[in-house]
Amino acid sequence: MSYSDCEYYVEKNLRGEDLSFEEALELFELPLPVLGKIADEIRRRKCGDLVTFVIGININYTNICISKCKFCAFWRDNGYVLSKEEILEKVGKAVRRGATQILMQGGINPDLGIEWFEDVFRAVKEKYPNVHLHSLSAPEIHFLAKKEKMSIREVIERLREAGLDSIPGGGAEILVDRVRKKISPNKVDSEGWLKVMETAHKLGMKTTATMMFGHIESNEDIIEHLFKIRDLQSKTGGFTAFIPWTFQPENTELYEIIKEPVPPTRYLQVLAVSRIVLHNFRNVQTSWLTQGLEIATLGLVFGANDFGDLMLEENVITATGKEFKPLDVEKVVRVVKSMGRPVAIRDTYYRILKRL
């Protein structure tokens, strides 16, 4: 591929022009270094060299779940539900360690109604008014609406009134129903996921978007997923970031057919494709949680500008047997600066809190 061919993709992204499906699919045929070069140039011209991260905690409030997704090792029929006091204790510990973002997600627990969440959110905000509640995925909100016989809008408005600030992009997996019916047949379909996000955006609430790949999806499925969130972003502008991450097969039902996570080269390829396709997303996160520090750092030259959440606690990925150690600030700063890049702590809205 010539320099002018590379520049074609860069300029098209920076002008905010949609790639055709064929153009996007052809990206997978490019050599990985060329693909990385295109994505990195877009990142450099769109975001500059600053690498950001947020300090937060992922509180998995319950592992009881009726979705029983085949890719998940976390769910149980009979599990736990954290008490309000236990949640407050976790938030307090995280705040004392510098956390500003509280990610609360769990299984689809049929015994928990909207009042349970309202009570917890109000208690967190009352005791820690400065934390940002970035909580509940689209499937959780969609289920609450169904359970309470309320509209999605009403559910989000009530949760916001109780303290919810933004919605994480979990539960997207692959937004292609042919795939979803195989890996998560009991979970909300792609239209439902997108509806929750669009409703939140129209109410002025920001969200993120994710993609879990490395299972049974094809390249075409990945592009379809990216196009769906790209098109919603063009409509609402409500997504703050995109986070692609890889399926971890151990201890899951899919382990019978998928024994190993995809290699780092595949992760970097999809990360770069995502940056090139998603012209209307400023922020793209690299996934240290699934890739480890070295590959996540390499992701910073394959289109990513953000290290995501340092995550003082995590249980869902850990349930697959993947080792989890929270990243400490000093280690991230050291690694990023070794690349000659500046680094800063941000908040959930990507506002810079402190340059390091």
Side-chain angles (χ1 to χ4, degrees):
M1 175 173 273
S2 67
Y3 175 81
S4 61
D5 291 331
C6 291
E7 193 67 15
Y8 169 79
Y9 284 106
V10 174
E11 292 298 333
K12 196 155 187 176
N13 179 289
L14 296 176
R15 287 196 303 265
E17 296 178 11
D18 292 346
L19 292 181
S20 69
F21 199 91
E22 292 71 25
E23 285 175 325
L25 201 56
E26 286 172 359
L27 291 170
F28 288 101
E29 299 174 14
L30 298 179
L32 189 60
V34 173
L35 193 64
K37 181 181 178 182
I38 297 168
D40 191 49
E41 180 64 13
I42 291 169
R43 184 274 312 159
R44 187 185 67 80
R45 289 165 64 174
K46 182 170 284 184
C47 309
D49 286 335
L50 183 67
V51 176
T52 52
F53 63 88
V54 67
I55 302 175
I57 183 171
N58 187 358
I59 300 174
N60 302 113
Y61 60 87
T62 183
N63 64 346
I64 298 170
C65 187
I66 59 174
S67 289
K68 303 180 180 181
C69 297
K70 295 179 181 180
F71 60 81
C72 181
F74 181 65
W75 71 267
R76 298 291 183 271
D77 282 321
N78 299 296
Y80 71 83
V81 177
L82 294 180
S83 68
K84 181 168 61 177
E85 291 70 30
E86 288 173 316
I87 291 170
L88 287 171
E89 183 181 353
K90 288 178 179 291
V91 173
K93 286 181 179 178
V95 168
R96 288 189 288 275
R97 293 175 63 185
T100 60
Q101 176 174 286
I102 308 301
L103 180 62
M104 265 185 60
Q105 294 184 125
I108 306 296
N109 187 329
D111 295 328
L112 302 181
I114 192 167
E115 291 180 358
W116 187 89
F117 294 99
E118 289 175 316
D119 185 42
V120 170
F121 289 172
R122 286 196 179 101
V124 169
K125 284 291 192 173
E126 186 176 334
K127 195 162 187 180
Y128 304 101
N130 295 324
V131 300
H132 183 106
L133 279 175
H134 180 60
S135 300
L136 301 188
S137 63
E140 289 165 280
I141 289 172
H142 192 274
F143 179 79
L144 273 178
K146 188 177 175 182
K147 175 182 171 63
E148 302 289 356
K149 296 180 172 57
M150 299 167 61
S151 69
I152 290 169
R153 181 186 181 97
E154 288 173 309
V155 169
I156 295 174
E157 286 179 330
R158 280 186 56 169
L159 293 172
R160 181 169 62 177
E161 181 67 26
L164 182 65
D165 294 301
S166 61
I167 299 172
E173 278 66 80
I174 294 291
L175 293 172
V176 178
D177 289 329
R178 178 186 57 78
V179 176
R180 296 178 80 79
K181 285 175 183 175
K182 292 179 181 178
I183 66 172
S184 53
N186 304 318
K187 188 179 277 187
V188 62
D189 62 13
S190 57
E191 183 182 352
W193 188 94
L194 291 162
K195 184 179 179 182
V196 171
M197 293 305 184
E198 182 172 359
T199 303
H201 296 171
K202 287 181 176 178
L203 289 170
M205 181 178 284
K206 297 293 186 181
T207 75
T208 56
T210 65
M211 176 173 66
M212 182 195 69
F213 64 97
H215 38 90
I216 64 168
E217 84 290 335
S218 64
N219 289 344
E220 287 83 357
D221 296 327
I222 287 175
I223 297 303
E224 185 174 337
H225 178 106
L226 294 174
F227 276 25
K228 283 179 177 177
I229 61 169
R230 178 200 68 187
D231 292 347
L232 181 54
Q233 181 75 330
S234 291
K235 188 175 179 181
T236 66
F239 289 118
T240 59
F242 179 66
I243 309 107
W245 58 283
T246 55
F247 167 59
Q248 305 298 307
E250 280 197 45
N251 300 328
T252 72
E253 196 175 331
L254 283 180
Y255 186 70
E256 296 175 10
I257 57 173
I258 303 166
K259 302 294 186 184
E260 297 287 339
V262 292
T265 49
R266 174 63 168 174
Y267 169 73
L268 294 171
Q269 179 190 49
V270 174
L271 180 67
V273 168
S274 301
R275 169 59 85 183
I276 297 166
V277 169
L278 297 176
H279 61 77
N280 47 16
F281 279 70
R282 183 186 185 278
N283 303 300
V284 175
Q285 289 185 19
T286 188
S287 177
W288 65 269
L289 184 61
T290 60
Q291 298 302 310
L293 184 59
E294 287 186 6
I295 300 303
T297 303
L298 195 54
L300 296 175
V301 293
F302 277 80
N305 65 301
D306 187 83
F307 238 96
D309 188 345
L310 296 203
M311 215 171 282
L312 303 175
E313 177 180 315
E314 199 285 331
N315 299 291
V316 176
I317 298 294
T318 312
T320 67
K322 181 83 175 176
E323 185 181 6
F324 173 75
K325 289 183 180 177
L327 278 183
D328 60 74
V329 172
E330 292 75 19
K331 184 177 289 187
V332 174
V333 171
R334 186 166 63 249
V335 167
V336 173
K337 287 192 172 179
S338 73
M339 300 175 67
R341 303 267 288 274
V343 61
I345 301 174
R346 61 168 174 84
D347 67 8
T348 309
Y349 294 132
Y350 285 79
R351 297 175 301 205
I352 303 304
L353 297 177
K354 184 181 180 182
R355 292 180 181 266
L356 302 168

